[in-house]
Amino acid sequence: MESIVDTSDEWIFERTGIRERRIAPPEMTAAAMGAGAARMAMERAGVAPEDVDILIVSTATPDRLLPATSCDIQALIGATNAVAFDVVGACTGFLYALTVAEGYISTGRGEIALVIATEKLSAIVDWEDRSTCVLFGDGSGAAIVRSSAGEKGILGTHHQSDGRLANLLYRPAGGAAIPMDEEVLRNRTHLIQMSGREVFKHAVRAMADSAGQALARSGWALDDVDLVFPHQANIRIIKATARYAGLPMEKVFVNVHRYGNMSSATIPVAMDEAIEEGRLQPGMKLLLVAFGAGLTWGAMAVRW
Ligand code: UT7
């Protein structure tokens, strides 16, 4: 990074906690990454592609603006019986997509949902802007969601957005309002722009508030929570949110140092790592909490 922009390893680590990121090669699309995660999730859950009824993709980096990346993933994995669509909730998108899946299943419109978060942030980052290019990474995670008897599942959810703050983190051009042209390319306005300090302030308050509301809706007390999976954007945001919400850091899963901010993919990737490490055990009470462009935010209480 020091050879690309005016920054230092010391600044990046002190201000963000990030040591490494994963950058996908040019030929590896968001759909290809998502298909990889989806295949692993299906295999572990014992679900065949044709068993999937609902395929929902969260992405801020669709491979194409039309059609949805979910349709490309559907074709790649052969989930031929599914309805496939994308959810655009930025970094909160995985939680929003889980909630849509829960709605489909609980209303009897399908039995098995495949929820995928896939993000190729390296393709939309301005590699000349040191205030953003040092933060983001590429990655993908996926989950199979289905109904279960007993006490397991999504027990309390709180989601909220504030579109008045959209310009704090956005891609100004390249959509239908300001289509791509030479001026857009010259001014680099098709790439991510962020008011980092403002986003930081909103993130801490909003995530702490959402965490409290999701817990209240699940009937849990703070002490009941075994493990917290916050969106991994910045270790300082994670620590400040935990402090503000009254959650001890020992219960908070952190891997931002290895991956940077992978937008909506951070939570499923963190959960997968926690399973691999043996830290996430059946029966645990989890709190998932996220924040992102929109602005969007939310939290979810889950009995694993
Ligand atoms: O995924 C959800 C949405 N995104 C986020 O959650 C990100 C939220 N924001 C943040 O994580 C932090 O605000 C940042 C990591 C982006 C920035 O940290 P900060 O402590 O808020 O720094 P700052 O923006 O206030 O900048 C402090 C200084 C500035 O210089 P001056 O004005 O004090 O002279 C910046 O120009 O650091 C400078 N700076 C850098 N210096 C070296 C900004 N980026 C860099 C850099 N290397 N990469």
Side-chain angles (χ1 to χ4, degrees), residues 6-8 11-12 15-16 91 130-131 134-136 169 194 196-197 199-200 203 231 233-234 236-237 261 291-293:
D6 180 16
T7 190
S8 65
W11 190 97
I12 298 170
R15 298 280 180 141
T16 71
C91 304
R130 70 174 183 173
S131 71
V134 301
L135 305 173
F136 296 101
L169 174 48
M194 178 169 74
R197 208 178 291 186
V199 173
F200 192 126
H231 170 48
N234 182 327
R236 289 160 54 218
I237 295 180
N261 184 347
F291 182 90

Side-chain angles (χ1 to χ4, degrees), residues 89-96 158-160 203 206-208 210-211 229-232 241 263-264 266-267 287-292 296-300:
C91 304
T92 321
F94 184 66
L95 301 192
Y96 287 3
H158 176 260
H159 293 332
Q160 205 173 328
M207 284 198 288
S210 245
F229 290 97
H231 170 48
Q232 311 278 323
T241 304
S263 192
S264 67
T266 64
I267 290 179
L287 185 62
L288 320 183
V289 53
F291 182 90
T296 58
W297 61 95
M300 193 175 260

Side-chain angles (χ1 to χ4, degrees), residues 26 46 72 92 97 142 166 181 191 196 217 228 231 258 261 267 276 287:
D72 289 331
T92 321
D181 63 11
L191 302 171
R217 289 175 189 185
V228 185
H231 170 48
R258 277 195 294 276
N261 184 347
I267 290 179
E276 293 281 314
L287 185 62

Side-chain angles (χ1 to χ4, degrees), residues 5 33 153 192 238 297:
V5 286
M33 287 194 290
I192 284 189
I238 293 172
W297 61 95

